Amino acid sequence: METVIYSTHKFEKDRLLNANINQHNIRFLEVPLNCDTAYLAKGALAVSIFVNDDASAPVLEKLSNAGVKFLVLRSAGYNHVNLEKAKELGIRIARVPAYSPYAVAEHAVALMLALNRKLIRANNRVHELNFSLDGLTGFDMHGKTVGIIGTGQIGSVIARILYGFDCRILAVDKSENKMIRERFGVIYSDYETLYKESDIITLHIPLSSETRYIICKETISKMKQGVMLINTSRGALINTKDVIEGLKIRQIGYLGIDVYEEESGLFFEDHSEDILQDDTISRLLTFNNVLITSHQAFLTNTALDNIASVTIYNLNCFYGGGKCENEL
Ligand code: NAI
Protein backbone atom coordinates (compact mmCIF):
# COMPACT_ATOMS: atom_id res chain seq x y z
CA MET A 1 0.00 0.00 0.00
CA GLU A 2 1.51 3.23 -1.17
CA THR A 3 1.51 6.71 0.32
CA VAL A 4 2.12 9.69 -1.95
CA ILE A 5 3.62 12.83 -0.45
CA TYR A 6 2.90 15.94 -2.51
CA SER A 7 4.88 19.21 -2.33
CA THR A 8 7.93 17.51 -0.85
CA HIS A 9 10.47 20.14 0.13
CA LYS A 10 14.21 19.57 0.54
CA PHE A 11 13.99 20.70 4.15
CA GLU A 12 11.60 17.91 5.12
CA LYS A 13 12.35 14.86 2.95
CA ASP A 14 15.14 13.36 5.09
CA ARG A 15 13.16 13.96 8.24
CA LEU A 16 10.17 12.12 6.79
CA LEU A 17 12.43 9.26 5.71
CA ASN A 18 14.01 9.11 9.18
CA ALA A 19 10.63 9.15 10.91
CA ASN A 20 9.31 6.48 8.55
CA ILE A 21 12.16 3.99 9.11
CA ASN A 22 10.84 1.94 6.17
CA GLN A 23 7.44 1.37 7.76
CA HIS A 24 5.49 2.73 4.80
CA ASN A 25 6.00 2.59 1.08
CA ILE A 26 6.32 6.32 0.35
CA ARG A 27 6.51 7.99 -3.06
CA PHE A 28 7.74 11.59 -2.87
CA LEU A 29 6.50 14.17 -5.37
CA GLU A 30 7.74 17.74 -5.59
CA VAL A 31 4.64 18.95 -7.44
CA PRO A 32 1.73 20.37 -5.44
CA LEU A 33 -1.62 18.62 -5.32
CA ASN A 34 -4.17 20.20 -7.65
CA CYS A 35 -6.62 19.18 -10.37
CA ASP A 36 -3.77 18.54 -12.83
CA THR A 37 -1.66 16.40 -10.49
CA ALA A 38 -4.30 14.43 -8.55
CA TYR A 39 -4.01 11.54 -11.02
CA LEU A 40 -0.45 10.93 -9.76
CA ALA A 41 -1.97 9.50 -6.57
CA LYS A 42 -3.27 6.48 -8.48
CA GLY A 43 -2.36 3.35 -6.59
CA ALA A 44 -1.99 5.14 -3.27
CA LEU A 45 -4.31 4.64 -0.32
CA ALA A 46 -2.98 7.68 1.55
CA VAL A 47 -1.81 11.08 0.38
CA SER A 48 0.02 13.79 2.31
CA ILE A 49 -0.18 17.48 1.48
CA PHE A 50 1.27 20.79 2.66
CA VAL A 51 -0.23 24.24 3.22
CA ASN A 52 -0.52 25.43 -0.37
CA ASP A 53 -1.84 22.24 -1.92
CA ASP A 54 -5.37 22.28 -3.24
CA ALA A 55 -7.79 19.90 -1.55
CA SER A 56 -10.96 21.48 -2.88
CA ALA A 57 -14.01 19.41 -3.89
CA PRO A 58 -12.96 18.63 -7.50
CA VAL A 59 -9.46 17.60 -6.41
CA LEU A 60 -10.83 15.38 -3.64
CA GLU A 61 -13.14 13.73 -6.18
CA LYS A 62 -10.13 12.93 -8.35
CA LEU A 63 -8.24 11.54 -5.36
CA SER A 64 -11.24 9.42 -4.42
CA ASN A 65 -11.48 8.10 -7.97
CA ALA A 66 -7.78 7.23 -7.75
CA GLY A 67 -8.53 5.13 -4.64
CA VAL A 68 -7.31 7.49 -1.91
CA LYS A 69 -8.90 6.99 1.53
CA PHE A 70 -6.69 9.04 3.83
CA LEU A 71 -5.38 12.60 3.55
CA VAL A 72 -2.58 13.52 5.95
CA LEU A 73 -1.92 17.24 6.32
CA ARG A 74 1.62 18.25 7.19
CA SER A 75 0.14 21.39 8.74
CA ALA A 76 -2.09 22.50 11.58
CA GLY A 77 -4.31 24.74 9.40
CA TYR A 78 -6.88 22.99 7.20
CA ASN A 79 -8.55 25.93 5.43
CA HIS A 80 -7.34 24.46 2.10
CA VAL A 81 -9.36 21.27 2.55
CA ASN A 82 -13.05 20.88 1.76
CA LEU A 83 -13.97 18.86 4.84
CA GLU A 84 -17.59 18.33 3.83
CA LYS A 85 -16.63 16.88 0.48
CA ALA A 86 -14.02 14.65 2.09
CA LYS A 87 -16.63 13.30 4.49
CA GLU A 88 -19.07 12.69 1.65
CA LEU A 89 -16.37 10.78 -0.27
CA GLY A 90 -15.28 8.82 2.80
CA ILE A 91 -11.78 10.31 2.80
CA ARG A 92 -10.47 10.60 6.36
CA ILE A 93 -8.34 13.66 7.18
CA ALA A 94 -5.63 13.97 9.82
CA ARG A 95 -3.36 16.91 10.58
CA VAL A 96 -0.45 17.88 12.82
CA PRO A 97 -2.36 19.91 15.41
CA ALA A 98 0.68 21.45 17.09
CA TYR A 99 4.25 21.05 15.97
CA SER A 100 5.74 24.10 17.62
CA PRO A 101 3.69 27.12 18.56
CA TYR A 102 7.02 28.60 19.69
CA ALA A 103 8.40 28.56 16.15
CA VAL A 104 5.51 30.64 14.79
CA ALA A 105 5.22 32.95 17.78
CA GLU A 106 8.96 33.67 17.81
CA HIS A 107 8.86 34.46 14.09
CA ALA A 108 5.97 36.87 14.62
CA VAL A 109 7.98 38.66 17.31
CA ALA A 110 11.03 38.64 15.02
CA LEU A 111 8.92 40.46 12.40
CA MET A 112 7.82 43.01 15.03
CA LEU A 113 11.39 43.71 16.16
CA ALA A 114 12.88 43.77 12.67
CA LEU A 115 10.22 46.24 11.50
CA ASN A 116 10.43 48.38 14.60
CA ARG A 117 14.23 48.62 14.65
CA LYS A 118 14.47 48.63 10.83
CA LEU A 119 16.99 45.81 10.88
CA ILE A 120 16.70 44.93 7.19
CA ARG A 121 17.33 48.52 6.08
CA ALA A 122 20.14 48.91 8.60
CA ASN A 123 21.84 45.71 7.45
CA ASN A 124 21.53 46.65 3.77
CA ARG A 125 23.01 50.04 4.53
CA VAL A 126 26.08 48.89 6.43
CA HIS A 127 26.88 46.40 3.67
CA GLU A 128 27.12 49.43 1.39
CA LEU A 129 29.37 51.12 3.95
CA ASN A 130 26.62 53.60 4.79
CA PHE A 131 26.76 53.91 8.56
CA SER A 132 24.26 56.76 8.83
CA LEU A 133 21.44 56.34 11.34
CA ASP A 134 18.96 58.66 9.65
CA GLY A 135 15.58 57.04 9.19
CA LEU A 136 16.34 54.11 11.50
CA THR A 137 14.64 55.35 14.67
CA GLY A 138 12.49 52.74 16.39
CA PHE A 139 10.36 52.66 19.52
CA ASP A 140 10.60 50.92 22.88
CA MET A 141 8.44 47.81 23.03
CA HIS A 142 8.26 48.39 26.77
CA GLY A 143 4.91 49.89 27.67
CA LYS A 144 3.39 49.59 24.18
CA THR A 145 -0.03 48.03 23.74
CA VAL A 146 -0.11 44.87 21.66
CA GLY A 147 -3.42 43.40 20.48
CA ILE A 148 -3.43 39.64 19.99
CA ILE A 149 -6.31 38.34 17.88
CA GLY A 150 -6.59 34.66 18.75
CA THR A 151 -5.01 33.35 21.94
CA GLY A 152 -4.83 29.65 21.12
CA GLN A 153 -1.52 27.80 21.10
CA ILE A 154 0.45 30.40 19.12
CA GLY A 155 -1.26 33.53 20.44
CA SER A 156 -0.66 32.46 24.03
CA VAL A 157 3.08 32.00 23.39
CA ILE A 158 3.10 35.51 21.90
CA ALA A 159 1.54 36.76 25.14
CA ARG A 160 4.25 35.00 27.15
CA ILE A 161 7.03 36.59 25.08
CA LEU A 162 5.51 40.08 25.09
CA TYR A 163 4.99 39.90 28.82
CA GLY A 164 8.79 39.73 28.98
CA PHE A 165 8.96 43.01 27.07
CA ASP A 166 6.58 44.57 29.60
CA CYS A 167 3.97 45.30 26.95
CA ARG A 168 0.34 45.94 27.77
CA ILE A 169 -1.45 43.02 26.16
CA LEU A 170 -5.01 43.16 24.85
CA ALA A 171 -6.63 40.09 23.35
CA VAL A 172 -9.72 38.94 21.53
CA ASP A 173 -10.76 35.31 21.33
CA LYS A 174 -13.96 33.32 21.33
CA SER A 175 -12.84 31.67 24.53
CA GLU A 176 -10.59 33.23 27.15
CA ASN A 177 -7.36 31.57 28.26
CA LYS A 178 -7.31 31.89 32.04
CA MET A 179 -3.61 31.02 32.34
CA ILE A 180 -2.38 33.91 30.19
CA ARG A 181 -4.81 36.28 31.85
CA GLU A 182 -3.50 35.40 35.29
CA ARG A 183 0.20 34.85 34.52
CA PHE A 184 0.87 37.44 31.82
CA GLY A 185 -1.72 40.08 32.62
CA VAL A 186 -3.54 39.67 29.31
CA ILE A 187 -6.66 41.83 29.17
CA TYR A 188 -9.46 40.31 27.12
CA SER A 189 -11.43 43.00 25.35
CA ASP A 190 -13.56 43.48 22.24
CA TYR A 191 -12.40 44.17 18.68
CA GLU A 192 -13.30 47.89 18.88
CA THR A 193 -11.07 48.45 21.93
CA LEU A 194 -8.25 46.31 20.56
CA TYR A 195 -8.24 48.20 17.25
CA LYS A 196 -8.46 51.58 18.95
CA GLU A 197 -5.74 51.08 21.57
CA SER A 198 -3.15 48.75 20.05
CA ASP A 199 0.21 49.97 18.75
CA ILE A 200 0.82 46.50 17.32
CA ILE A 201 -1.84 44.02 16.17
CA THR A 202 -0.92 40.40 15.56
CA LEU A 203 -3.23 37.76 14.04
CA HIS A 204 -3.41 34.20 15.36
CA ILE A 205 -6.84 32.96 14.36
CA PRO A 206 -7.59 30.34 11.73
CA LEU A 207 -8.93 31.30 8.32
CA SER A 208 -12.64 30.56 7.96
CA SER A 209 -15.65 32.14 6.27
CA GLU A 210 -16.08 34.11 9.49
CA THR A 211 -12.51 35.44 9.68
CA ARG A 212 -11.81 36.00 5.97
CA TYR A 213 -10.82 39.67 5.41
CA ILE A 214 -11.25 40.46 9.10
CA ILE A 215 -8.66 43.15 8.39
CA CYS A 216 -10.24 45.36 5.74
CA LYS A 217 -10.87 49.03 4.99
CA GLU A 218 -13.46 49.32 7.74
CA THR A 219 -11.39 47.70 10.50
CA ILE A 220 -8.19 49.47 9.42
CA SER A 221 -9.96 52.81 9.83
CA LYS A 222 -10.60 51.95 13.49
CA MET A 223 -6.92 51.34 14.20
CA LYS A 224 -4.40 53.73 15.70
CA GLN A 225 -2.61 55.89 13.16
CA GLY A 226 0.72 54.22 12.36
CA VAL A 227 -0.25 50.81 13.76
CA MET A 228 2.00 47.80 13.15
CA LEU A 229 0.13 44.86 11.63
CA ILE A 230 1.58 41.33 11.82
CA ASN A 231 0.09 38.30 10.08
CA THR A 232 1.69 34.87 10.43
CA SER A 233 -1.65 33.05 10.27
CA ARG A 234 -3.26 32.89 6.84
CA GLY A 235 -3.06 35.45 4.04
CA ALA A 236 -6.76 35.93 3.45
CA LEU A 237 -7.32 37.16 7.00
CA ILE A 238 -6.33 40.51 5.53
CA ASN A 239 -7.61 42.22 2.42
CA THR A 240 -4.23 43.02 0.89
CA LYS A 241 -5.53 45.78 -1.40
CA ASP A 242 -7.11 47.56 1.59
CA VAL A 243 -3.88 47.19 3.55
CA ILE A 244 -1.97 48.79 0.66
CA GLU A 245 -4.35 51.76 0.80
CA GLY A 246 -3.77 51.90 4.57
CA LEU A 247 0.00 51.94 4.02
CA LYS A 248 -0.28 54.68 1.39
CA ILE A 249 -2.04 57.04 3.81
CA ARG A 250 0.24 55.94 6.70
CA GLN A 251 -2.72 54.65 8.71
CA ILE A 252 -0.68 51.44 8.78
CA GLY A 253 2.86 52.30 9.84
CA TYR A 254 4.39 48.86 9.47
CA LEU A 255 3.32 45.56 7.94
CA GLY A 256 4.95 42.20 8.67
CA ILE A 257 3.52 39.19 6.87
CA ASP A 258 4.58 35.58 6.59
CA VAL A 259 1.47 34.68 4.62
CA TYR A 260 -0.21 36.22 1.60
CA GLU A 261 -3.65 35.54 0.19
CA GLU A 262 -2.24 34.70 -3.25
CA GLU A 263 0.86 32.90 -2.00
CA SER A 264 0.01 29.60 -3.65
CA GLY A 265 2.28 29.13 -6.69
CA LEU A 266 4.59 31.89 -5.44
CA PHE A 267 5.83 31.09 -1.95
CA PHE A 268 8.20 28.14 -1.42
CA GLU A 269 9.48 28.50 -5.00
CA ASP A 270 12.40 30.31 -6.65
CA HIS A 271 10.93 32.85 -9.09
CA SER A 272 14.09 34.92 -9.33
CA GLU A 273 14.32 34.36 -13.09
CA ASP A 274 10.65 35.20 -13.74
CA ILE A 275 8.67 38.36 -14.39
CA LEU A 276 6.46 38.89 -11.36
CA GLN A 277 2.85 38.80 -12.57
CA ASP A 278 1.19 39.60 -9.24
CA ASP A 279 0.72 43.39 -9.10
CA THR A 280 -0.48 43.34 -5.50
CA ILE A 281 2.61 41.78 -3.98
CA SER A 282 4.70 43.90 -6.36
CA ARG A 283 3.19 47.01 -4.79
CA LEU A 284 3.77 45.65 -1.29
CA LEU A 285 7.42 45.13 -2.13
CA THR A 286 7.84 48.85 -2.83
CA PHE A 287 7.20 49.91 0.78
CA ASN A 288 10.23 50.12 3.04
CA ASN A 289 8.01 49.57 6.08
CA VAL A 290 6.77 46.20 4.81
CA LEU A 291 8.55 42.98 5.70
CA ILE A 292 7.55 39.78 3.91
CA THR A 293 8.73 36.25 4.57
CA SER A 294 7.43 33.38 2.48
CA HIS A 295 5.54 31.23 4.97
CA GLN A 296 8.57 30.27 7.00
CA ALA A 297 7.30 30.93 10.52
CA PHE A 298 7.07 27.19 11.16
CA LEU A 299 10.55 26.51 9.79
CA THR A 300 12.60 25.37 12.79
CA ASN A 301 14.31 22.04 13.40
CA THR A 302 11.94 21.25 16.26
CA ALA A 303 8.83 21.96 14.20
CA LEU A 304 10.07 20.00 11.16
CA ASP A 305 10.94 16.96 13.27
CA ASN A 306 7.52 17.10 14.93
CA ILE A 307 5.72 17.46 11.58
CA ALA A 308 7.58 14.42 10.22
CA SER A 309 7.02 12.21 13.26
CA VAL A 310 3.32 13.10 13.65
CA THR A 311 2.74 12.59 9.91
CA ILE A 312 4.19 9.07 10.13
CA TYR A 313 2.25 8.47 13.36
CA ASN A 314 -0.98 9.47 11.57
CA LEU A 315 -0.15 7.01 8.79
CA ASN A 316 0.55 4.29 11.39
CA CYS A 317 -2.90 4.87 12.89
CA PHE A 318 -4.58 4.70 9.49
CA TYR A 319 -2.76 1.63 8.18
CA GLY A 320 -3.07 0.00 11.63
CA GLY A 321 -6.84 0.29 11.29
CA GLY A 322 -7.25 2.44 14.39
CA LYS A 323 -8.84 5.80 15.03
CA CYS A 324 -6.38 8.67 15.13
CA GLU A 325 -6.77 11.52 17.62
CA ASN A 326 -5.40 13.94 15.02
CA GLU A 327 -8.32 13.35 12.67
CA LEU A 328 -10.63 16.20 11.85
P1 NAI B 1 -5.37 27.41 17.76
O1 NAI B 1 -6.54 26.63 17.23
O2 NAI B 1 -4.63 26.87 18.92
O3 NAI B 1 -5.84 28.89 18.13
C1 NAI B 1 -6.73 29.63 17.36
C2 NAI B 1 -7.52 30.52 18.31
O4 NAI B 1 -8.35 31.37 17.51
C3 NAI B 1 -8.45 29.73 19.25
O5 NAI B 1 -8.21 30.14 20.58
C4 NAI B 1 -9.86 30.11 18.79
O6 NAI B 1 -10.79 30.17 19.85
C5 NAI B 1 -9.61 31.47 18.17
N1 NAI B 1 -10.60 31.88 17.18
C6 NAI B 1 -11.06 31.16 16.14
N2 NAI B 1 -11.92 31.89 15.42
C7 NAI B 1 -12.01 33.11 16.02
C8 NAI B 1 -12.73 34.29 15.77
N3 NAI B 1 -13.56 34.38 14.74
N4 NAI B 1 -12.55 35.35 16.61
C9 NAI B 1 -11.73 35.25 17.67
N5 NAI B 1 -11.01 34.15 17.97
C10 NAI B 1 -11.17 33.09 17.16
O7 NAI B 1 -4.42 27.64 16.51
P2 NAI B 1 -2.86 27.96 16.54
O8 NAI B 1 -2.07 26.70 16.58
O9 NAI B 1 -2.59 29.00 17.55
O10 NAI B 1 -2.65 28.54 15.06
C11 NAI B 1 -3.27 29.74 14.64
C12 NAI B 1 -3.14 29.84 13.13
O11 NAI B 1 -1.76 30.03 12.80
C13 NAI B 1 -3.51 28.56 12.37
O12 NAI B 1 -4.91 28.52 12.12
C14 NAI B 1 -2.72 28.66 11.11
O13 NAI B 1 -3.52 29.30 10.13
C15 NAI B 1 -1.57 29.58 11.47
N6 NAI B 1 -0.26 28.92 11.38
C16 NAI B 1 0.70 29.50 10.60
C17 NAI B 1 1.95 28.92 10.47
C18 NAI B 1 3.05 29.55 9.66
O14 NAI B 1 4.08 28.91 9.40
N7 NAI B 1 2.94 30.80 9.23
C19 NAI B 1 2.24 27.64 11.12
C20 NAI B 1 1.18 27.15 11.96
C21 NAI B 1 -0.03 27.76 12.06
Side-chain angles (χ1 to χ4, degrees), residues 122-134 136:
N123 182 60
N124 290 343
R125 262 188 208 186
V126 297
H127 280 275
E128 297 208 341
L129 307 186
N130 174 355
F131 299 97
S132 150
L133 298 183
D134 292 337
L136 298 183

Side-chain angles (χ1 to χ4, degrees), residues 51 75-79 95 97-101 103-104 107 149-156 172-177 188 191 203-208 210-211 214 231-234 237 258-259 268 295-299:
V51 284
S75 62
Y78 48 86
N79 53 283
R95 64 175 178 144
Y99 36 86
S100 172
V104 184
H107 190 81
I149 301 185
T151 52
Q153 300 183 83
I154 297 168
S156 54
V172 170
D173 198 301
K174 284 178 165 177
S175 56
E176 295 191 8
N177 178 329
Y188 279 95
Y191 279 105
L203 302 174
H204 303 287
I205 45 174
L207 176 63
S208 65
E210 191 190 356
T211 60
I214 194 167
N231 185 12
T232 58
S233 238
R234 283 294 178 267
L237 290 176
D258 185 53
V259 285
F268 303 133
H295 210 136
Q296 69 172 73
F298 72 97
L299 198 65

Side-chain angles (χ1 to χ4, degrees), residues 236-282:
L237 290 176
I238 65 178
N239 180 323
T240 316
K241 292 204 165 85
D242 288 355
V243 163
I244 288 172
E245 290 310 311
L247 284 160
K248 281 163 78 175
I249 59 167
R250 297 182 191 270
Q251 175 72 6
I252 296 173
Y254 314 76
L255 175 72
I257 54 172
D258 185 53
V259 285
Y260 168 55
E261 55 180 316
E262 299 297 333
E263 70 180 53
S264 179
L266 193 61
F267 283 13
F268 303 133
E269 294 166 20
D270 180 0
H271 287 284
S272 55
E273 302 289 322
D274 302 341
I275 303 290
L276 189 53
Q277 299 297 328
D278 181 330
D279 291 345
T280 308
I281 199 161
S282 307

Side-chain angles (χ1 to χ4, degrees), residues 15-184:
R15 293 171 206 261
L16 286 162
L17 285 170
N18 288 341
N20 185 39
I21 37 171
N22 294 325
Q23 296 172 87
H24 306 290
N25 174 16
I26 293 180
R27 179 155 49 97
F28 290 99
L29 299 176
E30 286 180 15
V31 292
L33 172 66
N34 56 41
C35 264
D36 297 331
T37 60
Y39 77 94
L40 294 169
K42 194 152 182 60
L45 212 50
V47 154
S48 175
I49 61 170
F50 201 46
V51 284
N52 285 331
D53 291 273
D54 176 1
S56 58
V59 179
L60 290 174
E61 264 176 19
K62 288 187 186 219
L63 287 184
S64 179
N65 290 339
V68 172
K69 299 275 180 229
F70 194 48
L71 191 61
V72 202
L73 315 181
R74 303 197 301 291
S75 62
Y78 48 86
N79 53 283
H80 53 317
V81 182
N82 187 324
L83 296 180
E84 264 176 34
K85 190 68 187 175
K87 198 169 178 192
E88 182 191 313
L89 294 166
I91 298 178
R92 289 162 56 190
I93 315 272
R95 64 175 178 144
V96 185
Y99 36 86
S100 172
Y102 307 101
V104 184
E106 288 166 13
H107 190 81
V109 175
L111 291 175
M112 287 176 202
L113 295 179
L115 277 167
N116 171 13
R117 305 308 296 268
K118 303 175 173 64
L119 297 183
I120 310 297
R121 290 182 77 190
N123 182 60
N124 290 343
R125 262 188 208 186
V126 297
H127 280 275
E128 297 208 341
L129 307 186
N130 174 355
F131 299 97
S132 150
L133 298 183
D134 292 337
L136 298 183
T137 308
F139 57 82
D140 284 18
M141 292 290 285
H142 170 91
K144 290 293 175 299
T145 299
V146 182
I148 305 177
I149 301 185
T151 52
Q153 300 183 83
I154 297 168
S156 54
V157 176
I158 293 270
R160 179 192 294 256
I161 297 171
L162 294 176
Y163 175 73
F165 281 109
D166 220 356
C167 292
R168 173 176 176 251
I169 307 169
L170 299 179
V172 170
D173 198 301
K174 284 178 165 177
S175 56
E176 295 191 8
N177 178 329
K178 191 165 165 252
M179 185 277 285
I180 62 168
R181 208 180 53 209
E182 289 176 357
R183 278 186 64 189
F184 309 126

